Amino acid sequence: MNIILLGPPGAGKGTQSAGLVERHGMKQLSTGDMLRAAVRDKTPVGLEAKAVMDRGELVSDEIVSKLIDDNLAAMSADTGAIFDGYPRTAAQGEQLDVILAKHGRSLDNVIELEVNIDALVERITGRFSCANCGAIYNMNTKPPADMKTPTSPDGSVPCTNCGFTKFKQRPDDNEETVRTRMDEYRAKTAPILPGYEMRGIVTRVDGMSGIDEVAAAIDAILT
Ligand code: AMP
């Protein structure tokens, strides 16, 4: 099973991918996570991508498609892939078809998380993650279990998943960059949907409902 989770920044692609990995043993292929790791490790790709990511613009198609190709090459053929944040342009969509064919795979589903873009800015600026295990939280909608008041975590609240008490926020999760990322989504990513629709593989899910409801809707599509 090879699926694309499509939706603007903050639609819940990362959260839902993590659930799919846990429930179905699939592998999440997030180009955003791969690029952040490259920036952290100061690799040539990371050094080239950092400024572009900080502005909220898109990294080159060649760089992200190579990351996907390399990751698929390292995966066993019977592990399902969740494409999270890729493809983001028409060119990447075409490259994905070529890469999948090369690895003997094909696309089964494109799941679009439908969201109210205005509500997303608040969602994104409220999100943070565990600095150890990467579990994703939100100050308003999904704080760690022991966080009684929805404020910024003060370092003494443990991560529900691993107990670590340090959290981090993505540098590009600020209001100005989020607006640029939304514009990029509208201009370059949303236009790739009609092509998938013509192939009859798009299913829409209400991404504004709760995390568990969205997960159940996705599972219903995959079974
Ligand atoms: P994400 O974690 O998916 O929100 O991605 C964070 C940032 O990484 C984006 O704002 C882009 O700068 C870059 N990025 C991630 N995936 C892609 C992609 N498929 N194409 C181009 N840039 C990407």
Side-chain angles (χ1 to χ4, degrees):
M1 182 76 81
N2 300 287
I3 65 171
I4 295 174
L5 284 188
L6 206 76
K13 301 186 296 294
T15 300
Q16 292 303 328
S17 295
L20 284 168
V21 168
E22 208 174 293
R23 294 194 302 280
H24 302 297
M26 300 174 78
K27 186 161 166 31
Q28 174 190 15
L29 296 177
S30 157
T31 41
D33 285 350
M34 294 171 200
L35 289 167
R36 277 184 289 280
V39 170
R40 187 195 58 219
D41 298 343
K42 298 193 169 59
T43 68
V45 163
L47 294 174
E48 189 178 334
K50 185 177 184 325
V52 180
M53 292 172 75
D54 284 348
R55 288 196 301 271
E57 294 166 8
L58 293 185
V59 173
S60 82
D61 295 330
E62 288 65 33
I63 286 183
V64 289
S65 291
K66 179 159 186 338
L67 289 172
I68 290 290
D69 192 7
D70 291 350
N71 272 266
L72 276 178
M75 271 170 67
S76 105
D78 50 10
T79 303
I82 310 154
F83 298 99
D84 162 8
Y86 178 93
R88 257 177 158 98
T89 64
Q92 290 177 27
E94 285 163 21
Q95 286 156 4
L96 176 61
D97 285 336
V98 174
I99 293 168
L100 284 171
K102 175 175 153 190
H103 296 288
R105 295 171 178 262
S106 60
L107 205 51
D108 297 287
N109 268 297
V110 177
I111 299 174
E112 186 197 1
L113 297 173
E114 281 192 304
V115 283
N116 167 355
I117 291 207
D118 292 333
L120 290 188
V121 177
E122 198 181 327
R123 211 193 243 193
I124 296 184
T125 50
R127 83 178 167 185
F128 58 95
S129 63
C130 171
N132 179 47
C133 73
I136 304 169
Y137 296 103
N138 192 290
M139 281 165 220
N140 311 307
T141 54
K142 194 195 167 205
D146 288 351
M147 198 166 111
K148 300 280 182 281
T149 44
T151 56
S152 172
D154 64 2
S156 59
V157 180
C159 167
T160 317
N161 186 44
C162 75
F164 202 66
T165 52
K166 285 203 173 56
F167 298 89
K168 57 183 184 182
Q169 197 176 26
R170 283 172 44 171
D172 59 347
D173 275 353
N174 62 77
E175 190 161 342
E176 193 190 338
T177 308
V178 168
R179 300 241 176 244
T180 306
R181 288 159 62 202
M182 296 298 178
D183 290 344
E184 291 282 65
Y185 180 81
R186 277 195 211 93
K188 298 176 185 162
T189 309
I192 69 181
L193 258 169
Y196 289 127
E197 262 160 24
M198 274 159 56
R199 286 159 64 172
I201 52 173
V202 177
T203 316
R204 299 202 156 72
V205 166
D206 176 11
M208 297 312 289
S209 53
I211 291 170
D212 294 344
E213 283 85 4
V214 177
I218 292 176
D219 278 354
I221 296 165
L222 300 185
T223 50

